[in-house]
């Protein structure tokens, strides 16, 4: 934002920022400590973006990203056979709210349209968001199925066996025995990223849990165990210190592909993105309700753990129902 367009400096006349007055010869580039300030573009912006001379730069850039209304609301016209079977042809016309939202450039609607267009091709890297399913995955088995079909399946396979490993105190031993499969695009496709970040995050978490609770707090070991003599991920940051490289390195790589600068396990990862839908066609009142889901990868296998995480996912599913009803 320019100083002239700033709601503070623009109202004072002269186009001078009251929070950072400086001479014209020593103009600062970058934030000036003002909530309304931005950056100044160095060089010729017309040449950088191939913008014609004499036009408003902001309007030209915005117009370039827009599509015709017909391209958006009528992008998927039914076939002639389908139209012939429709009893009420008025249903073929775009909904008034959709038309108005596109015409006015409603921010919420534009965000949803963008997410629905980019999400399936990118593996929903930006997070799940759609008008029909809200913040829940359209297909709860897609990411897990893609992970099971690639070399990263060693992580999901271990997650399947984790309750038994925990009960025997064999978590660290099992993790240390994993082969090193890097979380690159060659090994883990974009469609499997969400399942990979959930599986690896939970493996790192349960590994740390057993290390801190060896011999008590639900972990029973027959003999004192030491840290496995395998390569560690200490060089990848404090979050992965003491984590075997077999899960630490791919977790770091997958997290960066997901836009997470620091590897971390979120509550949504453990709950909403860690469930299986029993019947996707049972949509009333909403798909992700408690009695229509199962926890995909429990770490302890206890009923309390499963009920708690399913309850959290159920709450998120209810919020999604409200979201889909009023996403405008």
């Amino acid at each position: 934002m320019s100083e002239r367009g700033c709601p503070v400096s623009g109202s004072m006349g002269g186009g001078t920022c009251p929070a950072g007055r400086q001479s014209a010869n020593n103009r600062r580039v970058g934030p000036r400590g003002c909530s309304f300030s931005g950056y100044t573009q160095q060089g010729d912006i017309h040449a950088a973006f191939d913008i014609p001379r004499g036009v408003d730069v902001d309007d030209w850039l915005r117009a370039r990203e827009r599509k015709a209304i017909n391209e958006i609301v009528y992008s998927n016209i039914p076939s002639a056979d389908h139209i012939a079977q429709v009893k009420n042809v008025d249903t073929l016309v775009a909904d008034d709210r959709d038309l108005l939202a596109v015409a006015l450039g409603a921010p919420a609607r534009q965000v949803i349209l963008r997410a629905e267009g980019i999400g399936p091709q990118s593996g929903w890297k930006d997070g799940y968001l759609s008008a029909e399913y809200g913040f829940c995955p359209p297909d709860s088995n897609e990411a897990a199925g893609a992970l099971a079909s690639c070399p990263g399946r060693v992580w999901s396979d271990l997650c399947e066996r984790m309750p038994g490993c925990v009960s025997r105190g064999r978590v660290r031993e099992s993790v240390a025995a994993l082969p090193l499969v890097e979380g690159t695009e060659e090994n883990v496709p974009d469609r499997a990223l969400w399942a990979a970040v959930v599986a690896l995050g939970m493996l790192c978490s349960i590994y740390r849990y057993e290390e801190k609770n060896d011999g008590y707090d639900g972990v029973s070991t027959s003999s004192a165990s030491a840290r496995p003599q395998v390569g560690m991920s200490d060089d990848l940051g404090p979050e992965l210190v003491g984590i075997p490289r077999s899960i630490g390195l791919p977790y770091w790589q997958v997290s960066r592909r997901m836009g997470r600068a620091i590897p971390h396990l979120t509550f949504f990862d453990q709950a909403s993105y860690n469930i299986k839908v029993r019947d996707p066609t049972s949509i009333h009142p909403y798909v992700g309700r408690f009695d229509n889901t199962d926890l995909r990868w429990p770490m302890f296998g206890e009923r309390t753990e499963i009920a708690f995480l399913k309850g959290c996912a159920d709450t998120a599913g209810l919020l999604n129902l409200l979201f889909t009803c009023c996403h405008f």
Side-chain angles (χ1 to χ4, degrees):
M1 178 181 294
S2 65
E3 291 185 357
R4 180 171 298 179
C6 174
V8 176
S9 60
S11 63
M12 298 184 65
T16 302
C17 176
R21 291 190 178 93
Q22 298 188 34
S23 63
N25 296 331
N26 189 27
R27 187 174 183 180
R28 181 177 177 178
V29 177
R32 293 184 287 273
C34 171
S35 300
F36 303 103
S37 64
Y39 290 85
T40 59
Q41 173 69 32
Q42 301 186 61
D44 188 353
I45 191 173
H46 291 81
F49 294 95
D50 196 22
I51 302 175
R53 300 288 178 177
V55 301
D56 186 273
V57 173
D58 293 338
D59 290 342
W60 190 90
L61 289 174
R62 281 194 294 267
R64 187 177 64 172
E65 300 299 330
R66 291 176 179 169
K67 294 183 178 180
I69 293 178
N70 284 341
E71 293 178 2
I72 297 177
V73 297
Y74 297 117
S75 59
N76 188 19
I77 299 177
S79 63
D81 294 337
H82 176 80
I83 295 176
Q85 298 175 6
V86 174
K87 296 181 179 180
N88 184 6
V89 294
D90 290 337
T91 59
L92 299 175
V93 182
D95 185 82
D96 290 342
R97 294 176 300 173
D98 290 344
L99 187 62
L100 182 62
V102 175
L104 297 178
R109 184 60 174 170
Q110 294 299 326
V111 170
I112 293 175
L113 290 174
R114 183 181 186 278
E116 290 178 336
I118 297 177
Q121 288 76 25
S122 65
W124 301 94
K125 287 182 181 180
D126 296 334
Y128 293 103
L129 177 62
S130 61
E132 185 175 359
Y133 297 95
F135 299 104
C136 287
D139 184 355
S140 62
N141 295 320
E142 180 183 13
L147 183 63
S149 302
C150 70
R153 64 181 177 273
V154 295
W155 312 321
S156 58
D157 288 346
L158 182 55
C159 285
E160 296 279 356
R161 300 187 288 110
M162 191 48 62
C165 296
V166 171
S167 64
R168 295 173 176 82
R170 299 288 183 86
V171 173
R172 288 174 291 176
E173 179 182 340
S174 301
V175 170
L178 285 176
L180 177 58
V181 178
E182 296 193 16
T184 58
E185 295 182 5
E186 293 77 13
N187 296 327
V188 183
D190 287 345
R191 292 175 55 247
L193 281 177
W194 271 112
V197 78
V198 171
L200 288 167
M202 298 189 73
L203 288 177
C204 291
S205 177
I206 196 65
Y207 182 94
R208 189 84 75 190
Y209 173 85
E210 187 185 83
E211 190 174 45
K212 292 183 177 180
N213 300 279
D214 188 11
Y216 57 94
D217 281 355
V219 179
S220 59
T221 56
S222 57
S223 60
S225 58
R227 175 178 293 186
Q229 299 301 314
V230 294
M232 295 295 174
S233 309
D234 297 3
D235 59 320
L236 299 178
E239 294 77 20
L240 298 175
V241 171
I243 298 295
R245 205 167 186 82
S246 58
I247 58 175
L249 177 60
Y251 189 36
W252 183 82
Q253 293 171 327
V254 169
S255 296
R256 294 180 70 86
R257 290 175 61 187
M258 294 288 290
R260 301 182 180 185
I262 299 176
H264 60 276
L265 182 68
T266 70
F267 205 62
F268 273 101
D269 296 342
Q270 293 178 283
S272 297
Y273 301 152
N274 190 27
I275 61 171
K276 297 182 291 185
V277 176
R278 297 177 183 175
D279 183 6
T281 63
S282 180
I283 61 176
H284 299 291
Y286 51 94
V287 175
R289 63 187 185 277
F290 190 92
D291 62 337
N292 195 37
T293 58
D294 292 308
L295 193 64
R296 185 181 300 278
W297 294 319
M299 292 292 99
F300 298 93
E302 298 178 349
R303 295 177 61 183
T304 51
E305 173 199 14
I306 296 173
F308 175 72
L309 292 177
K310 281 182 57 177
C312 295
D314 180 276
T315 303
L318 179 58
L319 293 176
N320 287 325
L321 175 64
L322 299 176
F323 170 82
T324 55
C325 293
C326 56
H327 62 267
F328 284 104

